[in-house]
Amino acid sequence: MIRQAALDALPVREALPGLVRALDAHGAAVLCAPPGTGKTTLVPLVLAGLVGGGPRRRVVVAEPRRIAARAAARRMAWLLGEQTGGSVGFTVRGERVAGPGTVVEVVTTGVLLQRLQRDQELSGVDVVVLDECHERHLDADTVAAFLLDVRETLRPELRLVAASATTDSAGWARVLGGAPVVEAAGVSYPVETVWAPPARPVRPPHGMRVDPAQLAHVASVVRRALAERSGDVLCFLPGVGEIARVAGQLGGVDAEVLQVHGRAPAAVQDAALTAADHRRVILATAVAESSLTVPGVRVVVDSGLAREPRVDHARGLGALATVRASRAAGRQRAGRAGREAPGVVYRCWTEAEDGRLSAFPAPEIRIADLAQFALQAACWGDPDAAGLALLDAPPAGAMAAAREVLLAVGAVDGAGRPSPRGLRMARLGLHPRLARALLDGGAALGARRAAEVVALLSEEPPREYGDDLAAAWRAARAGTDSYATRWRAEARRLERAAAPAGGTAEPASGTPAGSGAGAGTGTGAGAGAGAGTGTGAGRISASGTGTPPGAAGRPCGTGAGVAGRVPAPGTGTGTGTGTGTMAPGSAAGAGIPASAADTGARQPANPAPPAFEERGAGPSRGGGAAPDDLAAGLVAALAFPERVAKARGEGAFLMASGTGAGLGDGSPLRHAPWLAVAVADRPPHSASARIRLAAVIDEDTALTAAAHLRTDAEEVRWEEGDVVTRAAQRLGAIELATRPLRSPDPALVRAALLDGLRAEGVGLLRWSADAEGLRARLGFLHRTLGGPWPDVADDAVLLARADDWLEPELSRARRRADLARIDAGQALNRLLPWATGEAVRLDELAPERIEVPSGSRIRVDYTAEQPVLAVKLQELFGLAETPRVAGVPVLVHLLSPAGRPAAVTADLASFWQGGYRAVRAELRGRYPKHPWPEDPATAEPTRHTNARLRRG
């Protein structure tokens, strides 16, 4: 029985007529509705015609998280008075609850993305609701772009709704082609803000680390909230580790403590979303920010922290990073306290800090690893994603790095088009690196063992499992915790998905109800679909080959039976039964092109290393030839070949990418000669990475997995102050073997010598006093007259013209000592403007010496901005005007008879008239043997004393 009273109480009802009109007129709309209004639950039911009397339509609702998808489906089923799996069902990875009568299906955006790649027309679906668009997850942005492409090219009647509590309505309206924006008013209960910063400063988060003092403070604020307020407490923390640590500090509180996150068992998630007759503290990650109403919550404690993906493309390292949550996230979190009644939020920072926070979280497309996005775009027929309607374009650098990854794993060709192997990878629901490891590792080790290790890599094991991947593998096999349970389910899914064509394979969890087997309910990796058939309507044939991107203007399919006319719900044919757990289908039924499946199974990119064939069976189940340690290492190395690492000693390693990495002091891997690094991050301001999960490998495994990084080359470079020549074998940055080169390429030697000159300067040449003087004179002329006089002041400018002045001596040089024999002055003469004839005026324009009245020829110093003439004062008697060079008056440094500075002037005439008297008064008594005439303008210039002058 429909719970009409509950439906009538949802405020979004007032906006439904406007939403229906917008969809009828434009086919797309943006719905802005505050939390708690019913946008996630009532809107799909109305659009599907299940309530409100409208026409019956099939509606797919896309949620960013599994917990939200399950909760939304259960809530809608409750409103209808049904069980989930009837009119309303859900599909998430590893679990499907739906039936032949399912009209509203809630899926994760990842499931919908896979479904679109198999069935571009999204046959049988009338409306798609993209919920929580404001979170800007990469899968959600991608799904939106693909759906818009489908509407434009294949199904203009498909209706789209972008729904969120705090979305960029103008941006989404623009992306949806000028779609109307429909706003719904909510019942807003007041939420009081209490600023609760730590009493003492705490260290800011870096990487995944959060200061324990901050977590202790959050726990104390939770205790304070329990004492000061009534109702359940919802506490937001950045990750699972932080939740566990805060839970450990809440022992003894008079409340049930629940830990809610994406890894939590479904029973725990359900308990948090069900009203209780006792007080609770719910410690949650960002999964509780959106879509969910946690009943009973009146208090929110916000740590102010969140996790975002970060990628260091230069080092090939990606990881989650702890960051300050945005103001928008803070508003969403605070709103949880006011969903049912007035509430309060305790914010663990100051009000002043709040104003400095970013307004919105960064879209994932700007900060995340884009390899999986790039593969999806390539399979869609748009390798550059240039034709996709995205709110934010993917960064060019991140896309270039993603394409390099796809080329390395054999997923695309040189033009960016997906290979049959790439099409199969896209269907696995894995990052392309892990897909490569599953396919090639399965060929070497068997599908089961490869799937088990890849399942470990797809969701990082708990820290208590340690940093040894093989040990973590054994712990997961024996484990009974929630992680081990999820790991086993994912391993089964991957084992079936990786099976070759004709063998047992698990259908993807996103198979539409009725598209193959009769739709049913079930859980597990293969729930909800059997083997299905269909007619390909996309651009990929059964063989897995496709027309070039852009052909026929239609999205790109991924195999036989996946882009075609999928029967309506409940009308499909297949091998599954009507209810219960479905029998797994074949690879073809799962949408894997037969040739692609065969290629992945029979032609791995890298065969098993010879060492595997020589060793006996290790302590593994499944009878593989490789021990667990080496099997885990091979799979990790196949996934992350640039992270194979060779020991440097003392727990330090060098990865093939060139990044140094280190293990913790207590790690059992510290003495391994080689590692395959699965998880590493680089702390801020650190040049080395920190290894968090790795497996022992041998050199053969490293060479096999990273074969594309192996080079045999002549290396000629400037190193430690001289030219080093050798033939080197390398695995990326790792040196495997070297030998001296007897006859290195002269061009390489010349380039190395130039590198040395750039690094240490042209001072490596032989610079006499005359050469230094010539450089200064040329520099003065260039500053004063410009062209055609060369710029010789900057080493970089000089070296850019090395061909013009250092040849032929540079090409004859072989080492540093040869550079020291090159006469720099002679070389600089080649830069003089001989062609214009100006070179002959060098001595006229910038003479090396100037003759003064005494007859002495004094050297001019051109190193300063203004040329300097340093001369004894008596030698200039009778000289009325300051000497000039190239029209510029020199700066005269007048010296005492002892050669010490007495005065500086650029205007001799003025000096004789004024300054000279003071100098004469000061120096006359100090140097009585020298002439100090009262009128220097008429006196005889001299280098000598009075006595010498009298002798004549």
Side-chain angles (χ1 to χ4, degrees):
M1 178 183 296
I2 295 178
R3 291 178 166 84
Q4 194 62 47
L7 291 170
D8 291 341
L10 295 173
V12 80
R13 290 186 66 89
E14 302 300 323
L16 288 174
L19 178 63
V20 171
R21 287 194 299 271
L23 290 175
D24 288 343
H26 300 274
V30 179
L31 175 62
C32 297
T37 55
K39 65 176 174 58
T40 302
T41 51
L42 178 57
V43 170
L45 296 179
V46 171
L47 295 180
L50 293 174
V51 297
R56 187 61 57 95
R57 296 188 179 96
R58 183 160 181 242
V59 177
V60 171
V61 182
E63 294 287 346
R65 299 180 179 89
R66 283 176 280 185
I67 183 174
R70 291 192 193 97
R74 288 168 184 164
R75 177 67 176 173
M76 283 188 275
W78 179 85
L79 289 170
L80 295 176
E82 300 179 359
Q83 294 293 317
T84 311
S87 299
V88 180
F90 70 87
T91 302
V92 299
R93 189 170 73 175
E95 184 180 7
R96 178 177 173 80
V97 180
T102 296
V103 179
V104 175
E105 184 182 13
V106 189
V107 301
T108 58
T109 48
V111 166
L112 182 54
L113 185 58
Q114 292 295 314
R115 189 174 294 179
L116 278 165
Q117 290 284 20
R118 291 193 310 275
D119 175 14
Q120 295 79 31
E121 293 184 3
L122 215 57
S123 305
V125 176
D126 302 300
V127 184
V128 178
V129 178
L130 301 175
D131 201 14
E132 308 304 342
C133 294
H134 72 277
E135 294 192 12
R136 300 298 311 279
H137 290 290
L138 186 53
D139 277 354
D141 282 7
T142 309
V143 163
F146 285 4
L147 287 170
L148 288 167
D149 203 7
V150 170
R151 262 179 56 84
E152 183 178 348
T153 59
L154 298 178
R155 292 193 56 200
E157 78 281 4
L158 181 66
R159 300 182 172 205
L160 301 181
V161 178
S164 176
T166 57
T167 190
D168 175 9
S169 58
W172 279 105
R174 183 181 66 255
V175 167
L176 294 179
V181 177
V182 180
E183 296 188 2
V187 176
S188 177
Y189 292 102
V191 176
E192 176 189 354
T193 299
V194 176
W195 302 101
R200 290 180 296 276
V202 296
R203 290 188 296 272
H206 62 84
M208 293 282 284
R209 189 181 185 281
V210 178
D211 190 343
Q214 185 163 3
L215 297 179
H217 172 69
V218 172
S220 71
V221 174
V222 171
R223 290 180 179 273
R224 173 186 168 186
L226 288 169
E228 295 178 351
R229 310 286 175 158
S230 60
D232 292 348
V233 177
L234 174 60
C235 176
F236 285 99
L237 291 156
V240 177
E242 290 76 23
I243 286 177
R245 285 193 284 275
V246 171
Q249 297 179 45
L250 292 177
V253 299
D254 187 18
E256 180 186 11
V257 178
L258 297 174
Q259 302 181 41
V260 179
H261 47 79
R263 300 180 185 178
V268 174
Q269 297 177 358
D270 293 343
L273 300 178
T274 304
D277 56 4
H278 56 274
R279 202 167 190 196
R280 303 178 300 168
V281 173
I282 299 104
L283 306 177
T285 60
V287 298
E289 276 185 21
S290 305
S291 303
L292 308 177
T293 297
V294 184
V297 169
R298 301 292 182 270
V299 183
V300 166
V301 175
D302 190 354
S303 68
L305 301 177
R307 290 264 158 79
E308 290 183 352
R310 291 288 187 272
V311 181
D312 185 340
H313 295 294
R315 292 175 170 84
L317 297 177
L320 291 174
T322 307
V323 299
R324 295 298 302 270
S326 67
R327 293 199 300 275
R331 287 192 296 271
Q332 284 284 100
R333 295 176 179 186
R336 303 299 101 180
R339 292 290 285 264
E340 300 175 328
V344 62
V345 56
Y346 288 78
R347 288 177 167 165
C348 298
W349 63 94
T350 67
E351 188 173 3
E353 288 180 279
D354 191 69
R356 296 192 293 268
L357 298 175
S358 60
F360 295 97
E364 273 193 5
I365 198 168
R366 292 183 183 174
I367 57 178
D369 177 356
L370 298 185
Q372 197 162 5
F373 167 79
L375 180 56
Q376 294 289 350
C379 291
W380 193 255
D382 192 351
D384 296 324
L388 296 179
L390 295 162
L391 270 176
D392 295 274
M399 282 296 285
R403 281 191 290 269
E404 289 181 7
V405 170
L406 297 183
L407 279 170
V409 302
V412 299
D413 60 20
R417 292 185 295 264
S419 63
R421 172 184 173 85
L423 295 171
R424 188 181 180 197
M425 286 179 170
R427 282 221 65 267
L428 294 175
L430 292 168
H431 189 285
R433 291 177 177 276
L434 298 183
R436 184 257 179 133
L438 180 64
L439 298 181
D440 294 350
L445 305 168
R448 172 176 295 185
R449 301 182 77 203
E452 288 184 352
V453 180
V454 170
L456 281 173
L457 299 177
S458 64
E459 182 182 336
E460 186 180 340
R463 291 188 179 180
E464 53 266 28
Y465 279 32
D467 62 2
D468 183 343
L469 180 61
W473 186 7
R474 290 187 282 270
R477 283 175 177 169
T480 58
D481 58 3
S482 59
Y483 176 85
T485 301
R486 292 194 307 278
W487 169 78
R488 279 188 281 272
E490 178 67 357
R492 287 193 296 270
R493 182 187 81 83
L494 294 176
E495 179 185 359
R496 291 167 180 157
T504 300
E506 174 192 73
S509 57
T511 304
S515 62
T521 62
T523 60
T533 60
T535 303
R539 294 182 291 179
I540 300 296
S541 68
S543 66
T545 59
T547 57
R554 301 180 58 170
C556 173
T558 56
V562 301
R565 283 69 173 165
V566 181
T571 63
T573 61
T575 61
T577 57
T579 61
T581 302
M582 294 297 173
S586 67
I592 300 175
S595 64
D598 291 344
T599 300
R602 296 197 307 263
Q603 298 176 356
N606 297 286
F612 280 16
E613 300 172 0
E614 296 166 4
R615 295 186 175 95
S620 64
R621 68 175 193 185
D628 280 353
D629 290 50
L630 287 177
L634 174 64
V635 175
L638 288 170
F640 307 103
E642 72 285 351
R643 294 190 204 165
V644 297
K646 186 177 182 180
R648 287 171 158 176
E650 300 296 328
F653 291 80
L654 176 65
M655 294 194 282
S657 64
T659 301
L663 289 161
D665 290 341
S667 172
L669 305 175
R670 288 178 64 86
H671 301 294
W674 286 83
L675 289 178
V677 178
V679 180
D681 57 24
R682 187 172 63 89
H685 314 299
S686 174
S688 296
R690 175 178 50 201
I691 298 173
R692 292 169 45 199
L693 189 65
V696 177
I697 57 174
D698 56 17
E699 187 171 320
D700 286 341
T701 304
L703 294 176
T704 298
H708 65 288
L709 299 177
R710 185 169 180 174
T711 58
D712 293 278
E714 292 186 359
E715 293 185 355
V716 181
R717 61 173 178 265
W718 187 268
E719 187 176 281
E720 297 182 355
D722 210 338
V723 176
V724 175
T725 63
R726 59 190 171 189
Q729 295 180 353
R730 291 184 176 274
L731 191 65
I734 299 171
E735 187 176 280
L736 301 173
T738 63
R739 60 177 175 80
L741 272 179
R742 294 184 178 179
S743 301
D745 184 341
L748 296 178
V749 173
R750 183 183 184 278
L753 289 168
L754 278 173
D755 287 341
L757 287 167
R758 293 186 189 100
E760 300 189 29
V762 294
L764 292 176
L765 308 176
R766 178 161 59 87
W767 289 90
S768 63
D770 287 343
E772 294 279 8
L774 176 59
R775 185 179 186 184
R777 293 161 70 195
L778 292 175
F780 163 72
L781 290 176
H782 180 76
R783 292 194 306 271
T784 305
L785 303 178
W789 298 100
D791 182 1
V792 296
D794 191 332
D795 282 9
V797 175
L798 273 176
L799 292 174
R801 298 188 60 187
D803 291 346
D804 297 334
W805 69 290
L806 285 180
E807 294 297 348
E809 293 88 351
L810 181 61
S811 292
R812 296 170 184 164
R814 290 294 177 267
R815 58 186 63 85
R816 181 191 186 105
D818 295 335
L819 293 178
R821 298 187 184 97
I822 298 177
D823 185 333
Q826 179 180 343
L828 281 178
N829 270 295
R830 299 180 181 129
L831 293 178
L832 268 61
W834 298 103
T836 63
E838 285 292 298
V840 297
R841 299 187 63 201
L842 173 62
D843 289 334
E844 172 195 342
L845 296 173
E848 185 178 356
R849 295 173 181 271
I850 291 178
E851 184 173 344
V852 296
S854 67
S856 299
R857 292 181 56 79
I858 307 298
R859 186 183 295 273
V860 181
D861 181 0
Y862 290 93
T863 57
E865 189 67 24
Q866 185 175 1
V868 172
L869 183 70
V871 59
K872 290 180 180 180
L873 186 150
Q874 283 82 0
E875 296 197 58
L876 295 183
F877 288 164
L879 184 61
E881 296 294 332
T882 306
R884 292 175 176 267
V885 289
V888 176
V890 300
L891 189 63
V892 181
H893 285 205
L894 296 164
L895 308 179
S896 71
R900 297 187 180 95
V904 176
T905 183
D907 186 351
L908 270 178
S910 296
F911 174 75
W912 295 137
Q913 293 173 9
Y916 171 73
R917 292 186 181 88
V919 172
R920 177 176 182 270
E922 180 183 350
L923 299 183
R924 183 179 179 187
R926 197 179 301 173
Y927 302 100
K929 296 181 179 181
H930 291 76
W932 296 101
E934 292 186 4
D935 183 9
T938 59
E940 181 181 356
T942 180
R943 298 190 297 267
H944 308 303
T945 64
N946 287 324
R948 176 72 179 270
L949 287 173
R950 286 194 294 269
R951 290 197 301 266

